[in-house]
């Protein structure tokens, strides 16, 4: 976890990347990976409906970017964003989604069955690699419901609720994991079908410094399928 | 990502995948900086010529990102065109965009464009071939091999005679497309570039 935070810090302070830049590239990777694993034609719902659940931090921001690109790729995303930071970055991302007619659910569906009915996929953008400690409401209940759905879940960076290094055996079991920048230790416990790497922005010098040993991305793709 | 489509790495004539990215003082130049950084990630060897740097903090950060990624910045552009022809496989023209009108007559853009007119390696222009009049095109200006129109083709793109025309910048919401009657082509799958 500290290494991931150290890399992030260096990208912002030494390389002068803005959070906006990296979040945009990260969110785009997530949407691209999803489109590769779950193309619109593969949905059994009448429209390729996707529910994107966004948490209170940067992982939620990644989710908002992802939702917007999913819309551009022909999906019908719906966002649930119960706790919104009052920062221009997140307000801007929310507006971009709203102006693209992406609906925002005021309430999270109370029954897992409702989610299974309405959506072909759920994107888990609740907690990321900075997550520590106890899960606060409303996310505890949300995760409880998500643990009972049968449609696939695609988690951004870390399955929400998992310990960033050790995982969580009785927690969320996503079908897809999109590791951003590099896989975190928790990824070793990932048992789903699709593991993608995204966030193709790490300068070669940083990759070397932290001995990331990332396999090469295919030509100009912004995602790499690991499994 | 249009460059690898037009000039895939294995096809490049020079031994090293070198590309010269010439950046003007405004937004078009900043887009060039971002392009150079991604070219580096894609394993090309970009070099940047950015004589008149914008004071905009966002663009200054783009410059830092390139510098920290060991992308060299030339201190001057050789007027001897053979030096450019020999050192690089292609030139990315990010000098002037659609917003420039009077700027083209001013230094250093005028001198840069005069040099670029005579090079023999392919030029890839970002959005608008630099120095072309936005609407009517240009006689006697640079002749790019590849044009990458950003968001939607500009009026002068009709006069483009080069090998490949791409549209890139897949971010226009549908209502903006409709409002301005843009009719951009359909992007395939998750691609962010489409060949016209």
């Amino acid at each position: 976890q500290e290494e991931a935070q150290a890399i992030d810090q260096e990208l912002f302070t030494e390389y002068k990347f803005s959070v906006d830049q990296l979040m945009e590239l990260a969110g785009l990777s997530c949407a691209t990976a999803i489109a590769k694993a779950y193309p619109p034609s593969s949905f059994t719902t009448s429209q390729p409906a996707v529910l994107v659940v966004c948490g209170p931090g940067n992982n939620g921001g990644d989710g908002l970017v992802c939702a917007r690109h999913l819309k551009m790729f022909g999906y019908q995303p719906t966002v649930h964003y119960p706790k919104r930071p009052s920062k221009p970055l997140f307000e801007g991302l929310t507006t971009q989604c709203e102006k693209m007619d992406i609906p925002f659910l005021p309430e999270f569906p109370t029954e897992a069955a409702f989610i299974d009915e309405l959506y072909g996929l759920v994107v888990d953008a609740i907690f990321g690699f900075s997550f520590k400690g106890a899960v606060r409401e409303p996310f505890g209940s949300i995760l409880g419901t998500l643990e009972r759905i049968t449609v696939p879940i695609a988690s951004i960076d870390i399955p929400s609720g998992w310990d960033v290094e050790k995982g969580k055996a009785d927690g969320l079991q996503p079908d897809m994991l999109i590791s951003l920048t590099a896989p975190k230790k928790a990824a070793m416990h990932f048992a789903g079908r699709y593991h993608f790497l995204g966030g193709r922005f790490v300068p070669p010098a940083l990759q070397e410094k932290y001995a990331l040993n990332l396999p090469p991305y295919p030509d100009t793709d912004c995602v790499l399928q690991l499994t | 990502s249009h460059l690898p489509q037009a000039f895939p790495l294995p096809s490049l004539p020079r031994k090293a995948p070198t590309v010269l990215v010439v950046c003007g003082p405004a937004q078009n130049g900043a887009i060039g900086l971002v392009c150079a950084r991604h070219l580096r990630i894609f394993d090309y060897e970009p070099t940047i010529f950015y004589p008149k740097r914008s004071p905009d903090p966002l663009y200054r950060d783009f410059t830092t990102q390139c510098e920290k990624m060991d992308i060299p910045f030339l201190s001057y552009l050789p007027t001897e065109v053979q030096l450019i022809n020999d050192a690089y496989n292609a030139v990315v023209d990010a000098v002037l965009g659609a917003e420039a009108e009077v700027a083209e007559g001013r230094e250093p853009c005028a001198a840069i464009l005069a040099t670029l007119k005579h090079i023999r390696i392919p030029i890839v222009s970002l959005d608008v071939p630099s120095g072309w009049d936005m609407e009517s095109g240009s006689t006697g200006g640079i002749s790019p091999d590849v044009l990458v129109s950003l968001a939607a083709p500009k009026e002068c793109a009709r006069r483009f005679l080069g090998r490949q025309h791409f549209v890139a910048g897949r971010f226009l919401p549908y209502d903006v497309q409709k409002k301005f009657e843009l009719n951009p082509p359909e992007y395939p799958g998750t691609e962010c570039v489409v060949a016209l």
Side-chain angles (χ1 to χ4, degrees), chain B residues 5-142:
Chain B
Q5 286 196 26
F7 302 103
L9 273 171
S11 77
L12 298 180
R14 311 269 167 282
K15 254 174 43 194
T18 54
V19 177
L20 176 63
V21 185
V22 186
C23 299
Q27 189 184 60
N28 203 256
I31 296 172
L33 294 175
V34 176
C35 173
R37 171 165 43 86
H38 285 281
L39 284 175
R40 178 77 180 88
I41 295 262
F42 294 156
D43 290 330
Y44 286 80
E45 284 176 22
T47 294
I48 295 172
F49 179 55
Y50 188 30
K52 203 156 159 217
R53 302 193 179 188
S54 170
D56 184 311
L58 174 64
Y59 301 169
R60 291 207 344 221
D61 286 345
F62 290 161
T63 306
T64 305
Q65 290 153 27
C66 287
E67 288 169 339
K68 292 285 294 183
M69 284 181 66
D70 300 316
I71 297 173
F73 281 68
L74 293 181
S75 43
Y76 67 94
L77 187 68
T79 43
E80 181 63 57
V81 288
Q82 200 51 41
L83 293 176
I84 302 177
N85 292 338
D86 287 344
Y88 306 103
N89 292 277
V91 173
V92 176
D93 156 33
V95 181
L96 296 170
E99 77 285 349
E101 332 98 355
V102 194
E104 56 145 315
R106 283 201 234 120
E107 295 305 333
C109 295
I112 293 173
L113 295 178
T115 302
L116 291 185
K117 260 174 63 176
H118 295 107
I119 63 170
R120 292 230 280 262
I121 53 177
I123 295 177
V124 179
S125 283
L126 298 190
D127 207 25
V128 173
S130 295
W132 283 32
D133 178 274
M134 236 270 270
E135 311 219 322
S136 60
S138 161
T139 44
I142 61 170

Side-chain angles (χ1 to χ4, degrees), chain A residues 14-18 21 25 28 31-32 35-36 68-69 71-74 99-101 200-205 207 219-221, chain B residues 1 4-5 34 37-38 40-43 58 60-62 64-66 68-70 170-175 177 189-192:
Chain A
E14 299 287 317
Y15 285 78
K16 301 285 190 216
F17 281 103
S18 68
Q21 280 179 277
L25 292 172
L28 175 60
T32 304
K36 286 186 190 275
R68 173 165 39 84
H69 286 285
K71 183 81 195 234
M72 297 295 303
F73 293 159
K99 295 281 292 177
M100 285 182 64
D101 297 319
R200 187 179 180 177
F201 46 66
V202 187
Q207 291 187 41
D219 41 60
T220 61
D221 285 8
Chain B
S1 69
Q5 286 196 26
V34 176
R37 171 165 43 86
H38 285 281
R40 178 77 180 88
I41 295 262
F42 294 156
D43 290 330
L58 174 64
R60 291 207 344 221
D61 286 345
F62 290 161
T64 305
Q65 290 153 27
C66 287
K68 292 285 294 183
M69 284 181 66
D70 300 316
R170 185 179 182 177
F171 47 69
L172 285 182
Y174 300 125
D175 60 346
Q177 292 178 31
T190 58
E191 298 290 312
C192 61

Side-chain angles (χ1 to χ4, degrees), chain A residues 1-19 21-22 129 181 201-212, chain B residues 37 61 64-70:
Chain A
Q1 184 176 39
E2 281 126 33
E3 215 173 55
Q5 285 169 332
I7 292 175
D8 245 33
Q9 266 318 295
E10 221 171 302
L11 287 171
F12 296 134
T13 56
E14 299 287 317
Y15 285 78
K16 301 285 190 216
F17 281 103
S18 68
V19 178
Q21 280 179 277
L22 301 188
F129 73 84
T181 308
F201 46 66
V202 187
L206 259 196
Q207 291 187 41
E208 271 200 55
K209 179 172 177 179
Y210 289 90
L212 294 180
Chain B
R37 171 165 43 86
D61 286 345
T64 305
Q65 290 153 27
C66 287
E67 288 169 339
K68 292 285 294 183
M69 284 181 66
D70 300 316

